[in-house]
Amino acid sequence: MASTETETRQSYLVFACGSSWYAVPAECAAEVVSFPELTRVPGAPGHLLGVFAHRGEVIPVVDMSTLVSGESEPTRRAVLVRLTRGTLALTASRVAGVSQVDGRLEPLGANGVHLHLRGPARSAQRDVAVIDPEGLFDHLSQGS
Amino acid sequence: MATGSRSITGMLLCRAGHDRVAFSAHEVATIESPSTFGGRAGSACQAFGVCTGSERILVAASGEAVGVDALEIDSEPLALLPAPALLERVAGGSLRGFVQVRGALWPLMSLVHFGRFLAPSAREAA
């Protein structure tokens, strides 16, 4: 119990895609970008919208709304999440900023992407799903 | 993050509907038309979720083939950007990277592996 409460005292970048709010550890959130027209990738799943070049790196863009709820949310903004294995862009229709998150970090589901979303948690009176970036990366890698 | 790129020369820049794919020219043994091609080829369009007829069939020396709508040959050296790790398994692992031409990214595919990836779809369509 104590460990989960301590973990939620980290700083997170809080953003929304559609009606859902997400929190990603601030140390992984490199920047918020407006991305250009994307290049679609053959054979990619529907939640992988395409790629764009950013500072010499090819960045895949993941539609969080399609990934989590199956419903697309058109936006041209994304949060760049930088991991040692690579960078991915998570679509964001709104960005609330960096804040702390209160709550627990239990998986919100037993399988699929929900296994890598943690909660129940709240930030600035919003319900947020805390993203486990490494787990999400693994999930997306297997799904593509 | 390391973003090293290397140069590649001799590309076939292809259209698949509204989308783009590229192949290394040295992988292409022949370019045929659907009427003369004796084998069975999947269309690159299928990998983008649409299905149209192909105007040209790119055939590898080992027999794998991919249909495209249009193509142009580019002999200039192009920077090859590495594929993101997240995409290693996409299209049956046939994505080799991306080339940037006139400001646009083109997915560089292995003709052999992409042809194999598309082959089951070709069988279903038959």
Side-chain angles (χ1 to χ4, degrees):
Chain A
M1 174 68 76
S3 62
T4 52
E5 293 297 333
T6 301
E7 281 184 271
T8 58
R9 293 298 173 186
Q10 294 177 352
S11 292
Y12 293 84
L13 179 68
V14 178
F15 66 98
C17 191
S19 59
S20 299
W21 286 88
Y22 302 95
V24 65
E27 69 264 22
C28 302
E31 57 184 305
V32 178
V33 298
S34 295
F35 54 82
E37 185 175 348
L38 298 176
T39 297
R40 296 213 298 158
V41 179
H47 58 256
L48 209 157
L49 298 180
V51 299
F52 67 102
H54 183 66
R55 295 175 185 155
E57 185 180 6
V58 177
I59 311 284
V61 178
V62 176
D63 182 345
M64 285 299 293
S65 192
T66 300
L67 179 67
V68 175
S69 69
E71 296 180 5
S72 178
E73 174 72 17
T75 179
R76 297 294 285 266
R77 283 209 298 175
V79 174
L80 295 193
V81 176
R82 203 174 296 282
L83 304 173
T84 54
R85 292 178 286 174
T87 304
L88 63 156
L90 306 179
T91 55
S93 48
R94 285 168 289 173
V95 177
V98 175
S99 63
Q100 291 192 332
V101 170
D102 295 312
R104 297 174 63 84
L105 294 179
E106 306 292 339
L108 293 179
N111 50 40
V113 66
H114 294 94
L115 190 60
H116 311 293
L117 299 175
R118 306 294 172 91
R122 289 178 68 79
S123 173
Q125 300 181 332
R126 299 184 183 98
D127 290 325
V128 299
V130 177
I131 295 171
D132 165 19
E134 295 287 350
L136 180 65
F137 195 99
D138 287 339
H139 173 75
L140 293 168
S141 300
Q142 292 160 10
S144 64
Chain B
M1 180 68 56
T3 57
S5 62
R6 62 185 176 89
S7 179
I8 185 168
T9 302
M11 302 294 302
L12 293 182
L13 304 176
C14 305
R15 292 282 176 182
H18 295 296
D19 296 296
R20 302 181 292 268
V21 288
F23 299 94
S24 176
H26 81 264
E27 252 204 305
V28 181
T30 60
I31 300 173
E32 304 197 27
S33 70
S35 60
T36 59
F37 181 57
R40 182 160 291 153
S43 168
C45 291
Q46 295 167 258
F48 293 103
V50 294
C51 193
T52 61
S54 300
E55 295 294 321
R56 291 286 183 272
I57 311 287
L58 311 182
V59 186
S62 49
E64 290 83 358
V66 174
V68 298
D69 293 342
L71 64 87
E72 62 179 295
I73 298 170
D74 192 312
S75 58
E76 297 296 316
L78 299 172
L80 174 61
L81 300 172
L86 196 70
L87 303 180
E88 277 180 0
R89 298 171 65 173
V90 86
S94 58
L95 179 65
R96 292 292 174 265
F98 292 84
V99 289
Q100 199 158 20
V101 184
R102 298 184 290 272
L105 288 175
W106 297 66
L108 173 63
M109 312 300 292
S110 157
L111 178 59
V112 170
H113 292 94
F114 196 38
R116 289 176 187 161
F117 172 74
L118 292 171
S121 300
R123 284 198 299 272
E124 288 166 12

